[in-house]
Amino acid sequence: MATNVMNQPGPLQMKGISLAGTNLKGRDLTKSVLVDCDLSSAILHGAILVKADLTNANLNDAILQDADLTEVCLKNARLIGAYLWRANLQKSNLENANFERAFLEYTILKEANIKGGILREAKLKGSNLAGAILQGANLDGTDLVKSNMQSVTLRDASLKKADLREVDLKGARLMDADFYQANLAGAILKNTHLERANLAGANLRGADLSGADLEDAIMPDGNPYDPKHPRRGW
């Protein structure tokens, strides 16, 4: 099957096929359909997967460095330990996808739908997630240092012990999010919605919370936010 794939031009149309370990480096797979396919450990370095459908695909440990995944559908896909350095996932559908321990540094995830996604202990340093939807996502222990997260939706998301140093969260919707022991030193939280958020044990040293709504939020000292003493507890 791998040999046939290498010789087949244009988009691929497959379902439930094993392509594990296949070398598809640099291939133009625009609008390909690879639903339920096994692409674990596949080499997709620099591949073009614009508007491809990889719903339920297995991409564990796959190499997707510099790949163009604009508007790709990876709904319910598994990308545990995948390597996506500098990949473009703008406007992609990553709902309920599993990126646990994946390497996503300097990726473009602008306006991506990552609702319910698992990014636990993933590496996203310097990535662009502006406008992304991460409602209910799990980002426990995730490295998001210096990422652009302006206007993201992280409602009900879990970011326990996440590294958010110098992250730009301007205008983000963070209601009911769990930032327990997260590192938000130097983060920009200007005009964010932090209603009912849990900031217990979080590091807010040097963070900009001007204009932030902290109604009913739990502050780093474990006490509720006090509008009469806005800096108490952190």
Side-chain angles (χ1 to χ4, degrees):
M1 179 58 67
T3 300
N4 292 337
V5 168
M6 292 302 295
N7 295 329
Q8 181 177 333
L12 303 178
Q13 305 289 325
M14 299 178 176
K15 183 174 181 179
I17 300 298
S18 177
L19 299 169
T22 302
N23 187 346
L24 295 164
K25 182 178 179 179
R27 281 287 303 272
D28 186 348
L29 300 169
T30 300
K31 294 184 179 180
S32 289
V33 176
L34 295 163
V35 175
D36 296 321
C37 288
D38 182 3
L39 286 150
S40 57
S41 300
I43 300 172
L44 291 148
H45 184 170
I48 302 171
L49 288 147
V50 176
K51 295 184 178 181
D53 188 354
L54 289 125
T55 302
N56 298 322
N58 178 2
L59 287 145
N60 292 343
D61 298 311
I63 298 174
L64 292 135
Q65 178 179 336
D66 295 313
D68 188 350
L69 296 140
T70 305
E71 296 186 55
V72 74
C73 182
L74 282 161
K75 187 174 181 179
N76 301 319
R78 300 179 300 286
L79 296 105
I80 300 170
Y83 190 82
L84 294 115
W85 187 56
R86 295 190 314 198
N88 186 351
L89 290 136
Q90 185 166 340
K91 295 184 179 180
S92 53
N93 183 355
L94 311 174
E95 189 171 351
N96 297 318
N98 190 341
F99 287 89
E100 187 167 2
R101 300 187 306 280
F103 191 92
L104 294 137
E105 289 193 350
Y106 306 104
T107 56
I108 299 173
L109 288 152
K110 287 181 64 178
E111 301 176 43
N113 175 14
I114 320 174
K115 187 176 180 179
I118 300 173
L119 295 109
R120 191 167 43 235
E121 297 182 6
K123 306 295 183 184
L124 284 125
K125 180 180 179 181
S127 294
N128 188 344
L129 294 105
I133 299 172
L134 289 139
Q135 183 171 338
N138 186 328
L139 295 102
D140 292 346
T142 300
D143 180 358
L144 289 152
V145 174
K146 295 184 178 180
S147 290
N148 178 1
M149 300 183 76
Q150 290 187 20
S151 302
V152 299
T153 298
L154 279 161
R155 184 166 194 162
D156 295 311
S158 182
L159 297 105
K160 297 174 185 174
K161 299 184 178 180
D163 193 345
L164 294 144
R165 286 174 293 161
E166 300 181 47
V167 165
D168 188 350
L169 282 155
K170 191 183 303 174
R173 299 174 65 81
L174 312 170
M175 299 85 82
D176 303 292
D178 191 349
F179 291 94
Y180 176 73
Q181 290 189 355
N183 190 348
L184 288 150
I188 300 173
L189 292 155
K190 189 174 182 179
N191 299 324
T192 53
H193 289 272
L194 280 156
E195 299 97 309
R196 301 172 302 281
N198 179 23
L199 293 159
N203 178 8
L204 290 170
R205 185 175 61 253
D208 179 3
L209 283 106
S210 56
D213 190 341
L214 288 152
E215 184 179 359
D216 296 324
I218 301 299
M219 302 310 286
D221 65 356
N223 291 312
Y225 173 69
D226 184 353
K228 295 180 180 179
H229 304 281
R231 293 192 62 86
R232 178 181 293 173
W234 64 286

